[in-house]
Amino acid sequence: MAAHLASGLHAASTGLLARTQAVFAQIDNLLDLRLIHFGTVRLSVGALLAALLILGGAILLSYLLRRMLTHYATRYPDNINRSALYTLARLGHYTLLLLGVMFALSATGIPVSRFAVFFAALGVGLGFGLQAIFNNFISGLILLFERSLKVGDFVELASGVHGEVRDINIRATRINTNDDVDILVPNSEFVSGRLVNWTLTAGTRRIKVPFGVAYGSDKEQVRAAGLEAAREVPHTLAQDGPHAPQVWLSGFGASSLDFELVVWVNADATRHPGGVSAAYNWALHSALARRGIELPFPQRDLHLRSWFGLTGAEALQALRESTPRVAAAPPPAVAPDHHSDAAR
């Protein structure tokens, strides 16, 4: 009985092994199936699958690296430089993708030297149609290495765009404005154009708020009103010392004395220039109104030098005579008295 059982198990295992070997042989034949046969380049199904797996593995490793760095920055926000971490994540992403492409090409059996003609054609293309893309890519690398522009900086471009830097990508940088609008700016504009980085070094900044008062106003009262307005706004950095607010008489306008309220503001105010200016203008108007200081408005004085060649009293008399007089209104008609008619 045992001999029959052993014989049956041996036969079953032999049949299973034979079927498994047949399946593997079919899979091996499928993987050896050639898709491309061009000269010495022979691309098979197995090589293509290996290249896709390598490329997918590189993309997965890049994703895990960025997730790990983001998690570390979230867990330890006080012990990490966010801009340096972002630069490290971007460089690691580009490096892993480049290695993945190279190993994928090696897995397919295609030597890199075969792409010499392709790279030559790519160089010609960069000189014409792809020049802008290549310029933006190199500019993005310059920004990451030079660190003159970092994620989290508040910047202002020559075109008037201002906001917080959120991402520095291959082609463009994403800026989020104070209106929560995302603007994509090409990287080359940051390298070749004029850029104002309000948060590159220190967070404090000095701003100038222009305002005007009517001629004849007391300058000392205007100064006191300006300093009072600076004290009322919480963005003012200090009330005395080198960063104390000042009031400057900046010029003489057509209808006003032009002043400037010069104040140093804190780091949070540098990211909201429009709201900060509005806050100081609001406080200035209230402080000037409390002191009865008049705000300017356009005024014009008309001086009549002559009237048809006449001057002085003669011109005034001619002006009065040439002014048309309003005809006197006729007296109102008296309504007939019916009671009197009846009495008569």
Side-chain angles (χ1 to χ4, degrees):
M1 182 66 180
H4 288 289
L5 181 59
S7 177
L9 290 175
H10 178 70
S13 61
T14 302
L16 180 60
L17 180 60
R19 287 193 296 269
T20 303
Q21 290 177 349
V23 171
F24 277 108
Q26 294 178 358
I27 294 175
D28 188 54
N29 293 332
L30 178 61
L31 294 178
D32 288 337
L33 181 62
R34 294 177 181 175
L35 298 176
I36 298 176
H37 187 187
F38 181 75
T40 58
V41 178
R42 299 175 182 178
L43 179 62
S44 62
V45 176
L48 180 61
L49 290 178
L52 293 177
L53 288 176
I54 293 174
L55 190 59
I59 295 175
L60 180 61
L61 286 177
S62 172
Y63 173 77
L64 293 177
L65 174 64
R66 287 178 292 170
R67 285 292 302 272
M68 180 183 65
L69 293 176
T70 303
H71 177 71
Y72 182 80
T74 305
R75 188 173 181 181
Y76 305 101
D78 299 330
N79 301 329
I80 194 67
N81 189 337
R82 189 172 62 158
S83 61
L85 191 68
Y86 180 84
T87 303
L88 179 62
R90 280 295 174 186
L91 292 179
H93 173 68
Y94 296 152
T95 303
L96 287 175
L97 287 183
L98 180 60
L99 292 177
V101 171
M102 293 179 60
F103 282 113
L105 291 176
S106 178
T108 57
I110 302 176
V112 182
S113 60
R114 297 289 182 182
F115 290 88
V117 179
F118 172 74
F119 288 134
L122 181 61
V124 176
L126 292 176
F128 293 98
L130 301 180
Q131 183 179 4
I133 298 176
F134 187 73
N135 186 18
N136 290 325
F137 175 73
I138 297 299
S139 299
L141 294 180
I142 291 175
L143 294 177
L144 291 176
F145 280 105
E146 190 181 22
R147 298 188 61 190
S148 59
L149 181 69
K150 305 180 294 297
V151 174
D153 286 347
F154 190 86
V155 298
E156 181 179 355
L157 300 177
S159 59
V161 176
H162 60 274
E164 182 180 356
V165 178
R166 292 296 178 88
D167 293 310
I168 303 177
N169 298 314
I170 295 178
R171 188 191 65 85
T173 296
R174 182 168 66 95
I175 294 180
N176 185 263
T177 65
N178 291 335
D179 297 329
D180 199 18
V181 177
D182 290 330
I183 301 177
L184 296 178
V185 182
N187 294 329
S188 58
E189 187 171 343
F190 294 97
V191 177
S192 59
R194 182 179 65 86
L195 172 67
V196 179
N197 193 338
W198 290 90
T199 55
L200 179 61
T201 53
T204 59
R205 291 290 180 270
R206 188 178 74 172
I207 65 173
K208 301 176 183 178
V209 183
F211 67 99
V213 297
Y215 277 102
S217 302
D218 189 353
K219 297 188 295 297
E220 296 301 328
Q221 289 293 325
V222 175
R223 183 196 301 273
L227 298 179
E228 180 183 347
R231 287 192 297 268
E232 293 178 356
V233 179
H235 298 297
T236 305
L237 185 62
Q239 298 297 333
D240 51 9
H243 289 168
Q246 298 177 337
V247 177
W248 295 352
L249 178 58
S250 59
F252 302 93
S255 305
S256 65
L257 288 172
D258 297 331
F259 289 85
E260 285 184 346
L261 176 60
V262 183
V263 290
W264 287 84
V265 295
N266 51 30
D268 181 66
T270 58
R271 301 178 180 274
H272 306 86
V276 171
S277 297
Y280 281 108
N281 285 326
W282 187 284
L284 278 170
H285 183 271
S286 300
L288 294 173
R290 284 193 295 267
R291 284 173 167 74
I293 300 176
E294 183 182 358
L295 297 180
F297 56 89
Q299 303 182 32
R300 297 290 183 270
D301 294 333
L302 179 62
H303 298 276
L304 187 62
R305 298 295 301 273
S306 63
W307 182 263
F308 296 111
L310 303 177
T311 59
E314 297 178 355
L316 182 61
Q317 182 65 26
L319 177 63
R320 290 175 179 174
E321 292 178 356
S322 62
T323 303
R325 298 181 179 181
V326 180
V334 179
D337 191 352
H338 298 285
H339 299 284
S340 300
D341 294 341
R344 287 196 298 269

